[in-house]
Amino acid sequence: MNHSNQYEVGKLFEEVTIETKKIFDGKVISLQVDTVSLPDGSTATREIVKHPGAVAVLAIRDDKMIVVEQYRKPLGKSQVEIPAGKLDAGELPEAAAKRELEEETGNQAESLIPLTSFYTSPGFADEIIHLFVAEQLVQGSMQTDEDEFLEVTALTLDEAFEAIRAGRISDAKTISAVYAWQIKKLTGQWPL
């Protein structure tokens, strides 16, 4: 079936919002239920998590990736991750990346290279993460949030892959960063 005459490019499967019902407004996320009109004219409901966006930083020092280990309540276990955090209202991603890197690890970056941005769970959430590489690190002091408990360490590329195999690293942003680092080591260039 040729839909090109019936729909604009990118609008083929668009769902038009009829009604939005706010369910929850929290410190980090909000939840809403939208009633939508589907392309065939029928209606459906969509549960949507709204998020302000986040940043993550791949920081390499002495050929080791700087990571933090912290407890993740939704998973019920500790995880090893690259430094990351949500965007504050009106904050630019690069400024947030510099802030999060320093707050969580005590490192300051002379420069940041944007690698990519990606949606974490587009089936139900609008969270986007902006992934940066930190270069020319200078040691400063950690300033974690009052409810944030973490340990800073560093992993070689081999150790990072072992942590992925062992399930100690299992989040998309850190796995993406590890593979980007591997590409950099193999080709001499970041995969931009």
Side-chain angles (χ1 to χ4, degrees):
M1 177 183 226
N2 182 355
H3 295 284
S4 61
N5 296 333
Q6 296 175 328
Y7 302 100
E8 291 178 47
V9 174
K11 303 271 185 176
L12 179 61
F13 303 111
E14 183 177 17
E15 299 178 355
V16 178
T17 303
I18 299 169
E19 176 187 26
T20 297
K21 191 182 298 184
K22 292 279 187 185
I23 305 298
F24 172 78
D25 262 324
K27 180 178 159 186
V28 176
I29 61 147
S30 63
L31 173 64
Q32 66 190 47
V33 176
D34 285 3
T35 302
V36 298
S37 173
L38 301 175
D40 68 358
S42 63
T43 60
T45 58
R46 302 290 186 240
E47 297 168 352
I48 301 171
V49 174
K50 303 295 276 181
H51 187 282
V55 295
V57 183
L58 169 56
I60 308 292
R61 171 179 270 155
D62 301 325
D63 205 30
K64 290 186 175 185
M65 177 176 72
I66 298 171
V67 292
V68 296
E69 183 168 357
Q70 58 188 321
Y71 187 80
R72 292 301 196 183
K73 183 62 178 165
L75 304 180
K77 63 180 182 174
S78 290
Q79 285 286 267
V80 173
E81 303 174 14
I82 59 175
K86 75 176 187 68
L87 292 167
D88 290 337
E91 187 176 33
L92 295 175
E94 186 171 333
K98 285 183 177 184
R99 175 182 52 76
E100 286 293 338
L101 178 64
E102 185 170 8
E103 284 178 3
E104 292 191 359
T105 72
N107 285 278
Q108 298 173 349
E110 293 289 318
S111 67
L112 292 172
I113 299 170
L115 275 184
T116 191
S117 297
F118 57 91
Y119 292 98
T120 58
S121 299
F124 66 87
D126 69 351
E127 179 187 22
I128 188 168
I129 294 182
H130 307 281
L131 178 58
F132 292 88
V133 173
E135 294 194 322
Q136 301 167 334
L137 298 178
V138 176
Q139 186 65 46
S141 61
M142 288 176 56
Q143 303 163 357
T144 57
D145 294 337
E146 63 186 36
D147 63 348
E148 195 170 40
F149 300 91
L150 49 86
E151 180 179 348
V152 179
T153 189
L155 303 174
T156 66
L157 185 59
D158 287 342
E159 290 169 337
F161 277 116
E162 179 53 38
I164 291 170
R165 284 189 288 277
R168 293 183 59 232
I169 292 175
S170 61
D171 65 295
K173 68 185 180 303
T174 305
I175 292 172
S176 296
V178 170
Y179 281 106
W181 184 24
Q182 181 184 43
I183 290 169
K184 166 72 163 142
K185 288 177 79 72
L186 292 172
T187 67
Q189 300 204 357
W190 291 109
L192 304 176

